[in-house]
Amino acid sequence: MTTRRHRIAVVSAGGFARARHIPTYKASECADLVACCDMNERLVKETCREFGIPVAYTSLEDMLERERPEIVAIVTAPPSHVPLARMCVDAGSHVLVEKPFTEDYDEFLEFQEYCASKPVKVMVSQNYRFQNPAIGMRRVIDGGEIGGVYWCELSLANSAGPRPVDNRKYRGPFVNIGVHVLDLARFYVGRPVVRVFAPRMRVPHAAGIAYPFDEIQLWFDNGAHAVARMDWTVRGHEEWITTRVQGTKGSALCVYPQSPDVIVQRPDGAESVTHVDEKDDSLRRVIAHFVDCIENDTEPSTGLADNRGTVEALLAAYVSCRTGRAVELPAERELLSSLESVRVTA
Amino acid sequence: MKRAVLAGFRGHSPKWFRLHGTLIEIVAVSGAWNPRAEEEAGAAGCAPARYEDHYEMIAREDADIALVWTRDPAEHCPVGRAALVRGMDVMLEKPLSNDAREAEAFAAEVARSGRIAMVMQDVRWQNSAAAIKDAIVAGKCGTPYAIDVSLRGRFDGFVYEGIHLVDLTRYWYEREASWVMAAGVTPAHDPRDVDNVVSLTIGYDGGAVAHVTMDWSAQGHQHWIRARVEGDEAAMKIAWGQPVEIQRGSDPVERCPLSKTEDNSMKKLMTHFLSSVDERSEPINRVADHLKTLDIVCAGWESVKTGQPVALPYATGGAR
């Protein structure tokens, strides 16, 4: 339980900030949304007026200096995450940042090291872990209902993916929503990933280009295996996340959003249902968890230490797709750093 | 009517008696006679000569065709070879062998013998498989680029049942596979000394991919074959025995009922085989075709061991 309300500012007045982050913080019981920053002056002023945010900024530096927010939520595109987060950390603000945190491994490691000595917390918003199906699935796993997890499959088949603006940098759906299914696979198995494979394929995209793969396979140090599939090109039979987790005592299935329930079936056919009877507002839970971690000086569940595993698996998938080989983890830093840099300056 | 000998009683093989007197005349059988065979033979009014030894039966009987259905795949090629030498045309249970190189050598022997040989990938001949195939050929989904097919339950292992799933992806794509990556998991609850969940990702020419999951460790949520085919115009899915469901974008789902013809894949296979024998033409499920399916499976096992993708052709060099 939080003890007080925290001053929070948002970086970005774009679509996702307006659709999810800003409404969530406005409605939060643990935060006061004090400012919004975006380079687009017209948009940020309009957003502040529409949502009743006190101050609009076009400069993050100015916002940090004048508002001194305790928490900054960064909702910009991935290449800008680390530079912006570093400015916030330097200003003494805790940082909640959208996923994927970065596609640049050197940048990630440098930032993680930089933050180690700073009195602030950084959390990556892998908010799908905070959705009802994930909470239900974790309850099933932690409660021992299905025994030890040895197989996990997550798939997302949708046609609503964003259109890439730059084909050269477009690496497919795992840069966006897909990183959630990758992260959930890690979350459910709960063990270090030791091998990654991303099959090279040609997935025709609605915008007329192809992306290189739609699946990441993960091997874990206990012998478990996971398949995370994400295809937003589908021309029919759209499905949001279907999750199947098999354990030594039973199998757990969740087809979301048709049903947020987790259905456990055992070898004798007996079924049980785990239902999370709460409003399914994952971002509200994210900010509540982050505030709780700040107040109690604990590591967020998707802090840098944990998220490094997801970033490494994602980068290993790119390497795997490029080379046609599986990538063993932990890998040499140079291997995961070998992607074309996507850094931008703040 | 062709005179047939039946070597072995694995799985569905007693059902061959149901074709006795209509398509074939089963004159002799070999292997461990069992109550189910007794029952099926009796119901068909079939009283074949019985042998314990397959080779003795083949040597003594004067038959046109041999049906090789031994339990151990390691016997398929040797018994089949004996039948070829005896001048019989041969239909063999899949997999042709546990060893792709032996299967490849057998294919060469078939070619030299001038006999007709066919491998029973019977799932291709089931109405559900045909319905997907027909829909693809009719352009219902455009050009397919991803196939996902799975089977979960307490069935025989990957070599026996999973090979059907691999074969289906070849049948539906009609392209050459170029690599395979596989994962195998042996869960602690299952004492069988094999990987009980096997997942294969098969790369096909043109960048298409097939995902095959054969899971006989399933502790719940089991199912027989299910498939999903993504094309660049529509997506199709099927649960075996149910209509094919085709959807273009958010249009209403089009349901294509299965053929109302008798869904008897063994009968269809036998009819095709006999037709091939009569016409001396290559059957669809000829040995050379099966080699490609078997090669993917063998490469899959290699991939499970090495943790790396395996290029195709793998063990059947030159089969393509």
Side-chain angles (χ1 to χ4, degrees):
Chain A
M1 264 324 236
T2 58
T3 56
R4 61 184 177 82
R5 297 175 73 86
H6 295 251
R7 291 163 54 78
I8 186 168
V10 175
V11 181
S12 175
F16 195 57
R18 291 167 57 89
R20 297 295 312 279
H21 284 263
I22 291 171
T24 298
Y25 305 143
K26 285 296 291 182
S28 172
E29 297 166 350
C30 59
D32 287 321
L33 183 53
V34 296
C36 179
C37 177
D38 197 294
M39 289 189 295
N40 184 329
E41 186 174 1
R42 184 191 57 77
L43 180 63
V44 72
K45 283 184 174 173
E46 193 177 293
T47 299
C48 286
R49 194 164 47 245
E50 182 180 339
F51 289 93
I53 303 169
V55 196
Y57 289 90
T58 55
S59 159
L60 176 59
E61 206 169 13
D62 288 349
M63 184 176 80
L64 292 170
E65 187 180 326
R66 290 180 200 164
E67 301 298 330
R68 296 285 169 196
E70 292 172 86
I71 301 168
V72 177
I74 299 173
V75 197
T76 55
S80 64
H81 286 171
V82 171
L84 296 175
R86 189 161 176 148
M87 290 173 68
C88 298
V89 168
D90 285 343
S93 296
H94 303 288
V95 178
L96 175 65
V97 60
E98 262 300 327
K99 51 71 208 165
F101 183 39
T102 176
E103 290 186 282
D104 184 322
Y105 194 48
D106 287 333
E107 191 179 54
F108 186 99
L109 295 182
E110 287 163 15
F111 183 71
Q112 188 182 24
E113 191 179 344
Y114 184 74
C115 290
S117 59
K118 302 290 182 186
V120 296
K121 301 203 178 293
V122 178
M123 178 174 173
V124 181
S125 182
Q126 296 284 178
N127 63 299
Y128 279 37
R129 288 195 190 190
F130 294 83
Q131 291 180 343
N132 280 1
I135 291 170
M137 193 63 82
R138 273 305 326 184
R139 282 182 190 166
V140 163
I141 295 167
D142 293 342
E145 284 189 62
I146 59 171
V149 173
Y150 63 87
W151 188 266
C152 177
E153 279 181 33
L154 295 110
S155 65
L156 197 160
N158 197 269
S159 64
R163 294 183 176 220
V165 292
D166 184 342
N167 291 357
R168 288 167 303 173
K169 287 182 181 174
Y170 185 57
R171 296 201 180 96
F174 282 93
V175 178
N176 200 291
I177 303 293
V179 76
H180 282 305
V181 291
L182 172 62
D183 185 67
L184 285 173
R186 286 188 58 243
F187 184 49
Y188 294 147
V189 178
R191 300 292 306 178
V193 176
V194 295
R195 186 186 302 143
V196 176
F197 179 71
R200 193 184 291 170
M201 62 187 294
R202 185 175 174 80
V203 185
H205 188 278
I209 66 157
Y211 57 77
F213 62 88
D214 76 342
E215 176 185 281
I216 298 177
Q217 298 183 16
L218 306 170
W219 285 255
F220 295 85
D221 71 342
N222 63 347
H225 184 71
V227 180
R229 199 167 290 156
M230 165 75 212
D231 186 352
W232 62 34
T233 68
V234 297
R235 306 293 203 275
H237 295 305
E238 292 192 5
E239 294 168 359
W240 202 238
I241 296 184
T242 298
T243 307
R244 181 187 181 96
V245 181
Q246 289 189 184
T248 53
K249 294 181 182 172
S251 171
L253 188 68
C254 180
V255 181
Y256 183 74
Q258 285 88 332
S259 168
D261 295 343
V262 178
I263 314 292
V264 170
Q265 198 176 75
R266 294 177 189 77
D268 62 3
E271 280 194 0
S272 60
V273 177
T274 295
H275 177 71
V276 179
D277 192 17
E278 297 167 24
K279 188 183 176 193
D280 196 3
D281 187 346
S282 60
L283 262 182
R284 181 181 57 82
R285 289 173 178 146
V286 166
I287 191 63
H289 172 71
F290 193 40
V291 163
D292 187 63
C293 291
I294 291 167
E295 292 186 354
N296 295 295
D297 193 22
T298 54
E299 176 69 7
S301 66
T302 54
L304 291 176
D306 178 90
N307 197 247
R308 180 170 167 173
T310 295
V311 169
E312 286 176 342
L314 179 63
L315 295 176
Y318 293 139
V319 173
S320 172
C321 183
R322 192 182 61 204
T323 62
R325 307 280 294 168
V327 175
E328 306 290 331
L329 292 177
E332 294 292 328
R333 179 169 174 166
E334 290 71 27
L335 184 68
L336 300 185
S337 303
S338 59
L339 290 164
E340 178 195 355
S341 174
V342 288
R343 289 190 196 198
V344 295
T345 51
Chain B
M1 191 175 299
K2 297 280 189 265
R3 291 164 55 81
V5 292
L6 173 58
F9 293 103
R10 184 187 175 272
H12 298 302
S13 56
K15 289 183 185 172
W16 288 124
F17 290 116
R18 298 179 193 178
L19 305 181
H20 175 81
T22 55
L23 293 179
I24 54 175
E25 180 188 359
I26 298 178
V27 295
V29 297
S30 60
W33 190 245
N34 60 44
R36 188 164 164 228
E38 179 90 51
E39 184 184 331
E40 293 277 0
C46 179
R50 288 194 223 161
Y51 295 82
E52 286 189 7
D53 184 76
H54 310 306
Y55 302 97
E56 184 187 357
M57 174 183 73
I58 288 168
R60 289 195 178 186
E61 292 293 331
D62 181 21
D64 304 302
I65 61 174
L67 308 175
V68 181
W69 245 257
T70 58
R71 177 150 201 88
D72 184 357
E75 289 187 304
H76 291 172
C77 285
V79 175
R81 190 177 298 118
L84 290 177
V85 170
R86 188 80 167 84
M88 298 177 194
D89 297 306
V90 188
M91 180 145 65
L92 307 103
E93 168 69 312
K94 49 74 198 165
L96 185 54
S97 170
N98 294 322
D99 179 346
R101 292 185 191 283
E102 182 193 41
E104 191 174 35
F106 182 76
E109 290 176 64
V110 170
R112 279 194 299 272
S113 72
R115 309 311 308 178
I116 303 297
M118 178 165 144
V119 181
M120 186 167 142
Q121 293 285 177
D122 62 306
V123 172
R124 276 195 196 193
W125 295 79
Q126 293 175 357
N127 285 356
S128 296
I132 288 281
K133 179 70 175 179
D134 291 346
I136 291 173
V137 170
K140 294 271 190 182
C141 69
T143 303
Y145 64 87
I147 292 174
D148 182 9
V149 56
S150 62
L151 187 161
R152 302 174 195 280
R154 289 283 175 179
F155 307 109
D156 276 345
F158 188 78
V159 174
Y160 295 113
E161 301 292 356
I163 198 168
H164 282 308
L165 309 188
V166 172
D167 192 63
L168 284 174
T169 69
R170 289 191 54 242
Y171 176 54
W172 288 333
Y173 266 139
E174 280 198 9
R175 301 183 195 181
E176 296 290 347
S178 52
W179 55 264
V180 61
M181 177 70 179
V185 175
T186 305
H189 69 272
D190 201 314
R192 288 175 291 182
D193 186 25
V194 289
D195 288 315
N196 290 319
V197 195
V198 179
S199 156
L200 271 75
T201 303
I202 307 165
Y204 280 89
D205 289 352
V209 163
H211 307 289
V212 171
T213 304
M214 171 69 207
D215 177 0
W216 60 96
S217 75
Q219 295 287 79
H221 299 299
Q222 302 181 3
H223 61 78
W224 185 237
I225 300 172
R226 289 181 187 169
R228 179 183 173 106
V229 179
E230 301 287 350
D232 60 5
E233 293 180 11
M236 306 193 290
K237 60 181 183 180
I238 189 169
W240 234 237
Q242 302 297 313
V244 178
E245 296 186 348
I246 304 169
Q247 191 175 37
R248 288 174 180 261
S250 55
D251 290 353
V253 173
E254 177 189 359
R255 287 183 173 76
C256 300
L258 303 184
S259 166
K260 294 193 189 313
T261 59
E262 184 187 9
D263 200 1
N264 184 342
S265 56
M266 293 181 78
K267 186 175 178 181
K268 288 175 182 171
L269 264 175
M270 181 58 78
T271 303
H272 177 67
F273 177 60
L274 294 175
S275 168
S276 301
V277 167
D278 285 341
E279 296 168 9
R280 308 314 294 172
S281 60
E282 286 282 5
I284 291 170
N285 297 101
R286 58 194 178 280
V287 172
D289 182 82
H290 176 73
L291 284 183
K292 295 182 181 182
T293 299
L294 187 61
D295 197 38
I296 294 172
V297 172
C298 292
W301 286 126
E302 178 68 10
S303 176
V304 169
K305 281 190 284 185
T306 63
Q308 289 293 340
V310 173
L312 299 170
Y314 162 60
T316 58
R320 290 176 68 181

